Amino acid sequence: MTTGVDNRRADAAKGVATRLDFDESFRLWRRVGLLLLLLLSHVPMHYLWRLFRLPSPWPRWFLGRVGRIAGARVQVIGTPLRRDVFYISNHISWIDILSLGGASGTAFIAKSEIGEAPIVGWLAGLNRTVYVKRENRMGVAEQINELRDALAENWAITVFPEGTTTDGKSLLPFKTPMLRVLEPPPPGVMVQPVMLDYGAVGEEIGWVGDESGLNNARRVLARKGNFPLRITFLDPFDPRDFPGRKAIGAESRRRIEDALVSALGGPLRPFAYTVAPVNYAAPPAEG
């Protein structure tokens, strides 16, 4: 990356709105136009499939194509289980959801704020997103029951247990309350860790610090060219071999960390941004 790109990303992480030049604005609105065409073509077809009570492939196709319009060129490594699977993944960008959903057809567990967002919440609902409230301590049992119902209804569900997005070179501790759905595991359900790697552009793409979601979307959609995204489906394991959500989370994190270290060619680094909602404090800056 160039120094200019580094500076813009650093400013964005501080909450400074990114100023776009003419070429960037043109790319942004061209991609927005393509997204609107996808909406007009895919959503009616989804409802047509639902009208005839047919399994609808349109949300998966929609997600994958939106990710491609945004610039992601996905390479799938490994073999994803197609049903009765709980994917556990690291998390870097909102593009993770588009590309992982397009590659596997998975539904997602998301913060309740996503469901309340205009348009985005509606689109997420089309893909059978399960919403949870991180602050609703008294309602955890109810949310776990909802997850069990969703896991029984859907073929695959993905959770991002870091609870936030990072820069692609770090891996936060895994939060495991939503893994209680695997205590005990539903019959036949497997866990498959997933490693997402954007390579050299991970820091530029990552949604970190005080940057707003809107600004991150503007930056990514205005970006010139494409970028790689490797989705590595690691070997699945039987959660019964690792009793309890903490053991399941620890084993998943260990496998993802090993794969990420191998992909980066070196050790991970501490995440440089404090994330209060997940109780993560960044280490003091050197000097």
Side-chain angles (χ1 to χ4, degrees):
M1 291 187 296
T2 65
T3 301
V5 171
D6 288 341
N7 291 338
R8 295 181 83 188
R9 207 270 306 184
D11 287 342
K14 296 175 183 176
V16 178
T18 302
R19 298 184 63 179
L20 305 180
D21 61 27
F22 177 82
D23 289 341
E24 290 171 326
S25 296
F26 176 79
R27 287 192 292 268
L28 168 65
W29 288 110
R30 180 173 60 85
R31 284 171 168 151
V32 169
L34 293 173
L35 296 179
L36 290 175
L37 288 176
L38 273 186
L39 277 174
L40 293 174
S41 61
H42 285 53
V43 172
M45 297 303 293
H46 169 68
Y47 281 118
L48 181 62
W49 257 243
R50 293 290 298 272
L51 179 65
F52 289 100
R53 301 183 182 277
L54 298 172
S56 175
W58 292 96
R60 176 180 178 179
W61 293 346
F62 178 80
L63 291 176
R65 287 163 183 168
V66 171
R68 187 169 182 85
I69 287 173
R73 296 298 179 263
V74 174
Q75 177 187 8
V76 174
I77 301 172
T79 304
L81 298 180
R82 293 300 184 184
R83 58 182 307 138
D84 297 328
V85 59
F86 204 85
Y87 296 129
I88 297 180
S89 175
N90 62 319
H91 198 15
I92 300 159
S93 167
W94 48 275
I95 295 175
D96 301 350
I97 296 174
L98 303 175
S99 299
L100 186 52
S104 67
T106 179
F108 293 89
I109 297 172
K111 296 182 293 184
S112 59
E113 293 85 348
I114 298 294
E116 298 165 1
I119 300 179
V120 174
W122 171 62
L123 291 174
L126 293 180
N127 197 52
R128 313 180 311 277
T129 299
V130 180
Y131 300 109
V132 296
K133 293 184 177 181
R134 184 183 291 139
E135 70 280 2
N136 186 10
R137 303 296 183 185
M138 300 301 293
V140 170
E142 179 182 350
Q143 294 180 42
I144 295 302
N145 288 333
E146 291 179 3
L147 282 175
R148 287 188 180 277
D149 292 342
L151 195 55
E153 177 184 351
N154 298 321
W155 290 353
I157 289 183
T158 296
V159 63
F160 300 109
E162 290 172 284
T164 187
T165 47
T166 67
D167 56 8
K169 299 182 184 298
S170 310
L171 192 64
L172 297 186
F174 279 9
K175 305 296 182 181
T176 60
M178 288 302 108
L179 298 183
R180 286 178 182 165
V181 68
L182 300 173
E183 292 182 330
V189 169
M190 299 287 283
V191 170
Q192 186 165 26
V194 180
M195 190 274 290
L196 304 178
D197 174 30
Y198 288 80
V201 302
E203 290 187 88
E204 181 187 356
I205 298 297
W207 178 12
V208 299
D210 295 325
E211 183 176 21
S212 69
L214 178 60
N215 192 77
N216 184 269
R218 288 174 65 248
R219 278 201 308 111
V220 173
L221 293 176
R223 188 179 180 278
K224 184 178 181 180
N226 308 317
F227 52 87
L229 170 54
R230 292 198 303 167
I231 302 178
T232 302
F233 291 91
L234 303 172
D235 290 339
F237 64 87
D238 192 331
R240 295 155 195 80
D241 295 336
F242 299 87
R245 59 187 173 89
K246 292 186 178 181
I248 294 170
E251 177 64 14
S252 299
R253 191 184 186 283
R254 182 189 68 79
R255 297 188 184 200
I256 293 170
E257 180 176 2
D258 288 347
L260 192 54
V261 167
S262 177
L264 295 175
L268 304 184
R269 67 188 185 193
F271 189 50
Y273 302 92
T274 293
V275 187
V278 298
N279 298 318
Y280 174 78
E286 295 184 4

